[in-house]
Amino acid sequence: MRPPLAPRTRIARKAHRCRIAGLLFLLIAPLVAATIPLAGLWPAPRSHCGDQGCTWSSDPVTLFDEQDAEKLRAAPADSQRLKVYVQRPLVRLGLAGIEAIDVGPLVVLLVAVGIALRRLGGPPRYAFAQALPWLRRATIAAILWAIAQPLSDSLRQMLLYRGTSWGPHWLIALDFNAMAMPLLLGLAAYAAVWALESGLQAQRDLDDFV
């Protein structure tokens, strides 16, 4: 039977794992952020694979919800008109901006969690206190991400409607049933971090008093 590890060894190993996990989050963040310029440079990429290999093309119809996408596929003239419209530089810039609204909070969330884990892998005396502010930022980003996803879907469709025969019109497609769970989880995580910060501050005040 292997002898139990010394407390310092266990703490050092846990700190090392936290630093590695934090590094993984920090490495994933730029990969997610790369979808922002790609949304403008190559809207709605789609692959076609066959005997001659695979080719890639852009199908902006897939950026609509299923009901509108079916209508566009049934009208080839509208589909072609949309493809021409999406080639405009300002439209592509708009798509990149909407993608930034969509995934921007997720990038902040990944970076904040990564830094928090790296802080937890630091000197034990200050690790928790240094990690909590970043965890709070991560929970705020999670709340914003829950709101940003349906909002960006609406903005994207409003932008693309201008490229169809339907013309521009307003669309606010907020699915509150889909938003509720991630929003509640984000709020619960924020409340938990706030409670931990309050407890840590109370402990500091008590130590100063003593």
Side-chain angles (χ1 to χ4, degrees):
M1 183 176 177
R2 297 175 59 183
L5 296 173
R8 287 187 178 182
T9 303
R10 291 200 302 269
I11 293 173
R13 288 189 176 183
K14 289 180 180 178
H16 181 65
R17 291 168 187 164
C18 282
R19 290 194 297 271
I20 292 177
L23 181 60
L24 290 176
F25 274 91
L26 293 174
L27 291 175
I28 294 172
L31 298 178
V32 177
T35 62
I36 296 174
L38 286 176
L41 295 172
W42 200 356
R46 189 175 67 173
S47 63
H48 306 267
C49 295
D51 295 336
Q52 304 299 323
C54 294
T55 59
W56 289 84
S57 64
S58 178
D59 186 13
V61 172
T62 59
L63 296 175
F64 286 87
D65 59 35
E66 293 184 7
Q67 184 177 0
D68 287 339
E70 288 299 325
K71 292 179 181 178
L72 286 169
R73 291 190 182 97
D78 256 350
S79 296
Q80 186 60 35
R81 179 177 176 176
L82 179 63
K83 288 181 180 180
V84 174
Y85 171 75
V86 170
Q87 298 302 318
R88 298 180 183 179
L90 287 179
V91 175
R92 295 200 170 201
L93 184 62
L95 289 172
I98 294 169
E99 186 71 10
I101 295 173
D102 188 1
V103 304
L106 175 58
V107 174
V108 175
L109 171 63
L110 292 170
V111 171
V113 171
I115 295 177
L117 288 170
R118 299 285 293 178
R119 294 290 185 270
L120 287 172
R125 183 176 180 182
Y126 306 105
F128 192 59
Q130 292 179 345
L132 275 179
W134 288 103
L135 288 175
R136 175 166 41 81
R137 296 181 183 108
T139 59
I140 294 172
I143 293 169
L144 293 176
W145 189 37
I147 300 171
Q149 286 185 299
L151 176 63
S152 62
D153 289 340
S154 298
L155 293 174
R156 189 178 293 109
Q157 290 198 70
M158 282 192 288
L159 175 65
L160 295 176
Y161 274 139
R162 294 176 175 271
T164 68
S165 60
W166 307 329
H169 59 275
W170 289 94
L171 172 70
I172 305 297
L174 298 181
D175 187 350
F176 291 102
N177 291 329
M179 289 174 56
M181 186 56 67
L183 193 58
L184 287 174
L185 288 174
L187 290 170
Y190 181 84
V193 173
W194 175 80
L196 289 172
E197 283 187 313
S198 298
L200 186 61
Q201 185 60 46
Q203 182 64 44
R204 287 174 177 171
D205 294 340
L206 182 61
D207 292 341
D208 292 340
F209 177 75
V210 174

